[in-house]
Structure formats: C-alpha cells, structure tokens
Amino acid sequence: MQKTISPATAITGSISLPGDKSISHRYAMLAAIAEGETRISNYSSGADCHSTLGCVRALGIEVEGSGAEFVIHGRGLDGLQQPAAGLDAGNSGSTIRMLSGILAAQPFRSRISGDESLSRRPMQRIMKPLAQMGAQIQAREDRFPPLEITGGPLQPIEYELPVPSAQVKTCVLFAGLFAEGETVVLEPVRSRDHTEIALREFGADLNVHRGRITLQGRPKLTGCPLVVPSDLSSAAFFLAAALLVPGSRLSIRGVGLNPTRSALLDFLVGMGAKIRIPELQSVNGELSGEIEVECSQLRGGAISGPLTAALIDEIPVLAVLGAATEEGITVKDASELRIKETDRIQTVVRNLRLMGIQAEELPDGLVVPGRQKFHAASLDSFGDHRIAMAFAVAALRADGESVIRHAEAASVSFPEFWDTLAAIQSGT
Ligand code: S3P
C-alpha cells in the first residue's frame, strides 16, 4: 500500500489513540499465567499485540473479545499447554523476547518464529540469561529466530543487563516467576518499568531499589481488571506534527505518562515546545493524562547516553523534527537503532536525504542540521512502522505531495494512524 501525503496548513483537534503497545503485551502474557479472569480495556490494536494474543491462545488460554476489549482466562503458572504448531511472533520483538522467558520454564517443547525482519534480529541477549537459568534454547546460527525451546525447571539468577533493554529485563523476570527463590536483575541504565508495575498489579512480590530488581519466584498471580493508557510512542508522531506545522493546536487524551517513557516530553519542552498536561491520573499503577501541544519554534538538542535509551523509539520522528529546529539534532550512543525493525539510522538518513534534507550517518547515531527545507519526495517505510509514521509527519511540512511506499507497516503498532492523521490535518 502506498499513501500520498499533502502538505498541511494546520494540525488541529482532540484525539484519543490506541492502547500502549508495551503495556498491552505484558498484560496479555501475565494474564495467561495468572489465576482467573483478566479484563483488559483499550488493548493495543497493533498487529504486534495481536501476535501476542495469538501465541497466548495457541498455549491453550481462552481469550474472548474483540476491538480493544479482551477477557483472558488465565490458568495459573502451571496451566499452559503445549502448542499444536509453531508460535508466530510476526514482526514483534517484544513477543518473542518476553514470551521466551515463560516458554523456557514450561514442561514442553515449543518453537517460536517471526517474519523476515524479526528473523534477522538478535536473540543472544535473551538466550544468555535464560541459559544461565538452565533453559535449553536453540536458534538459527545460534542467534536468530526461529527459537526451539525445550522448557524445564529454571534456577533463579542475578543478572546485570549488558544493554539497556526492557525486553530482556522482562524476559528474565518472567522466567524468574517460575524459578524457586529470588531472581535479581541489575539495570545500570533504567529502562521502561511497565513489567515491574504490572507484576505488582497481578500480586507478585517485587522490590526495586537503585536499579536492583528483586523478584520472589513462584508467586500466586491473580487476574484483575486493567485499563491500558494510550501509547505515548504513537502520540509522538502527532506531537511532532503539531510542533512542525505552523498554526497547529492539538490535544491528545489519556496518554500514558509513565516517567520511564515521558523523557520525550521533557526533551521537547527543553527545546522550547509548548506542551501542557492539565492533569494526571494513575490507573493500575501507570500514570496518564491529556497532552496539549501547539506549534513551536524549537531550538534543537543533543541525545546521548541514558537519554538515548529513554527515547529509543522516538528517535526517527525526532530526527525529522530536528531538520526544522534552529540548531538541529544530534543522536549518539544509539547503535541499538541498527537492530530494530529496520536499521533505523540508515532508513531515517535515507528518507531525509530523499527529501533534500542534509543528514549525516554516524556508527552509533546521526546528525541532522537545523533550518532545513522539506522537499516533496517518494519515500519508503522499508517495512518499519515507525519509519512510515515519522516520514508521514515530515511530508506534512513538504513543498508538495509526497508518497510513502509500504505504508501498511504502520499497522504493526497503529492501524488507525492514517485515518487519525487525515482527521486532524487541514490541507492546502
Ligand atoms: C520495548 C522495549 C524497547 C522498545 C520496544 C518495546 C518493550 O526495546 O524499543 O519498542 O516493550 O519492552 P528494547 O528492550 O530492545 O530496548
């Protein structure tokens, strides 16, 4: 599918967005191994989170519902059944990496695979700690999906994350649920903490102190009603659109504002963005609120170290925004971007250059000078949802109609993206 995007004269309105992808995955997986019913509202509509539901069903768990409302009938820590066929994680790194922690502890063999992009993404980062816990996992070329997992009893470990990754942290904690005793994860750089919050919601005994997460194994997890806040990483595209297009004023309701995710807002405000959050609320331990934003002249900025980890999913759209700032944007310490759904350093720089925007690729980041003009161009998502959406935003500021090829990729996290964009965009 290809989408034609016209330049916008303004981005205006009040919108709500689908549920957070990270939180939806965690709720579905934990609901499956909790006892009793978990009702999840505002579950992510993205294909990734539906891959997780498909895997959960294949493991013998009843999942009722449709749209954004699901009821998952959990069968407890020992209630999963051997799947009749291989599990399919689709495009979803979160599904394969986090679910592997659960599969490694089951008294059966399973096989989990994914699409072409996922089949190129590294799995040693979860295979190593799981092997230390006693798991038997085989991978293609020892590192890529499909994974063949021979489940069995696991021992607790103390594991220091070599890369800041919430997926790896979650995998180890999920495996730790099945191990007798105390599993410890040490996090030198803080990553999103939805797993820690969700585990407590389900009744696990978990302690977090200065980057040391301690989980007691074999807890009784109990199903509970859950509401997923809207996805801040999806909101990021509309925040950027409103900041970029003169005359814009937008409000986005019920967005997840967990402090381990909201560095985006601090970074934007630090560059001069006019952003307001009239009030905050807490639901199931997760903060959320309405975000109001209006077009603002941004100064530009530098992203490195722990800030890079905190902004990792937003860097494509921040790079786009950077070209319209006064001083540009520099990103460093971001080699993780090279192993996302695409090599995002390469795909961002390629599309920026196609728009006539000067951008420099660094081994671990990129440099986008400011005060640049956006020229209409024929662009590609390269099959990556965040690249599709980031460049739809760039196209709003262009001097003519742009085309995004493989625009369907947006559905991985946000199937309603194109309709929502059309609804808030006033055109020429
Ligand atoms: C995610 C963690 C991040 C992020 C991904 C979702 C999560 O990946 O990029 O989109 O839900 O835990 P890493 O754990 O690989 O950094």
Side-chain angles (χ1 to χ4, degrees):
M1 172 176 107
Q2 86 178 25
K3 281 277 175 191
T4 302
I5 309 286
S6 306
T9 50
I11 297 291
T12 49
S14 172
I15 52 174
S16 44
L17 304 176
D20 186 90
K21 179 161 91 71
S22 293
I23 297 175
S24 296
H25 283 301
R26 288 156 170 85
Y27 283 175
M29 290 182 204
L30 286 172
I33 55 169
E35 286 170 31
E37 189 179 292
T38 295
R39 181 176 294 272
I40 310 178
S41 306
N42 202 33
Y43 190 81
S44 164
S45 52
D48 271 10
C49 293
H50 283 265
S51 294
T52 289
L53 287 183
C55 291
V56 160
R57 283 193 175 106
L59 288 161
I61 299 297
E62 190 192 344
V63 180
E64 287 178 292
S66 60
E69 301 285 320
F70 290 94
V71 178
I72 298 182
H73 298 270
R75 292 166 48 103
L77 281 182
D78 302 312
L80 299 183
Q81 288 167 4
Q82 178 159 25
L87 299 168
D88 184 4
N91 189 247
S92 175
S94 297
T95 306
I96 194 168
R97 293 200 180 115
M98 304 198 299
L99 195 60
S100 293
I102 295 176
L103 296 175
Q106 301 308 311
F108 52 74
R109 283 173 70 110
S110 47
R111 181 175 197 273
I112 184 161
S113 60
D115 69 5
E116 206 191 310
S117 153
L118 188 62
S119 302
R120 289 192 302 265
R121 296 183 65 188
M123 295 296 138
Q124 307 103 313
R125 52 184 59 201
I126 57 152
M127 291 169 66
K128 192 171 162 228
L130 290 176
Q132 283 178 24
M133 297 179 89
Q136 288 182 51
I137 304 182
Q138 269 159 6
R140 185 176 60 82
E141 293 173 27
D142 288 330
R143 75 190 92 150
F144 300 119
L147 302 179
E148 304 274 354
I149 304 179
T150 309
L154 301 179
Q155 293 103 50
I157 53 167
E158 179 165 320
Y159 190 69
E160 178 165 333
L161 294 178
V163 280
S165 165
Q167 291 175 354
V168 177
K169 170 174 67 176
T170 302
C171 172
V172 177
L173 291 174
F174 281 2
L177 289 171
F178 296 87
E180 293 284 357
E182 214 168 77
T183 291
V184 178
V185 178
L186 300 164
E187 247 196 332
V189 176
R190 198 166 178 217
S191 66
R192 60 191 73 189
D193 68 354
H194 305 302
T195 300
E196 295 87 313
I197 293 173
L199 279 167
R200 286 205 185 99
E201 244 1 64
F202 279 93
D205 182 356
L206 179 108
N207 186 277
V208 184
H209 183 66
R210 296 197 174 170
R212 184 184 175 92
I213 305 158
T214 309
L215 172 74
Q216 305 302 326
R218 305 287 317 170
K220 179 169 157 46
L221 302 177
T222 310
C224 52
L226 299 164
V227 182
V228 183
S230 295
D231 199 321
L232 178 58
S233 299
S234 299
F237 300 105
F238 297 113
L239 294 174
L243 289 167
L244 205 54
V245 178
S248 298
R249 183 183 280 269
L250 184 71
S251 102
I252 313 177
R253 296 185 294 271
V255 185
L257 294 169
N258 176 314
T260 61
R261 293 282 292 285
S262 60
L264 170 70
L265 300 178
D266 299 329
F267 181 69
L268 291 172
V269 169
M271 292 199 295
K274 292 179 203 146
I275 289 179
R276 261 176 33 89
I277 297 167
E279 58 181 22
L280 279 177
Q281 55 170 347
S282 174
V283 179
N284 301 122
E286 291 281 354
L287 288 179
S288 61
E290 181 174 345
I291 306 177
E292 295 173 353
V293 57
E294 56 186 285
C295 179
S296 318
Q297 182 54 53
L298 303 179
R299 275 187 288 280
I303 302 172
S304 66
L307 185 59
T308 303
L311 294 176
I312 198 76
D313 289 341
E314 285 72 65
I315 287 172
V317 78
L318 288 171
V320 164
L321 209 49
T325 60
E326 279 163 28
E327 292 159 17
I329 276 188
T330 305
V331 179
K332 288 192 179 143
D333 305 320
S335 44
E336 278 290 304
L337 281 182
R338 294 205 181 270
I339 50 170
K340 293 291 178 189
E341 286 82 333
T342 57
D343 175 340
R344 286 184 176 156
I345 297 180
Q346 207 179 75
T347 48
V348 164
V349 168
R350 241 159 112 172
N351 277 338
L352 285 174
R353 287 187 182 154
L354 285 170
M355 298 191 86
I357 294 169
Q358 198 193 321
E360 188 192 340
E361 185 173 334
L362 308 174
D364 67 340
L366 44 87
V367 181
V368 185
R371 296 173 186 270
Q372 301 199 61
K373 293 234 172 327
F374 292 66
H375 298 290
S378 176
L379 306 163
D380 205 314
S381 75
F382 303 100
D384 184 331
H385 58 130
R386 300 205 197 278
I387 300 298
M389 296 186 277
F391 283 89
V393 170
L396 298 172
R397 176 78 179 234
D399 52 6
E401 276 186 354
S402 296
V403 167
I404 317 269
R405 290 188 302 278
H406 302 112
E408 71 283 352
S411 299
V412 156
S413 58
F414 194 176
E416 305 84 348
F417 175 77
W418 303 104
D419 289 344
T420 310
L421 185 63
I424 57 176
Q425 172 181 359
S426 315
T428 39

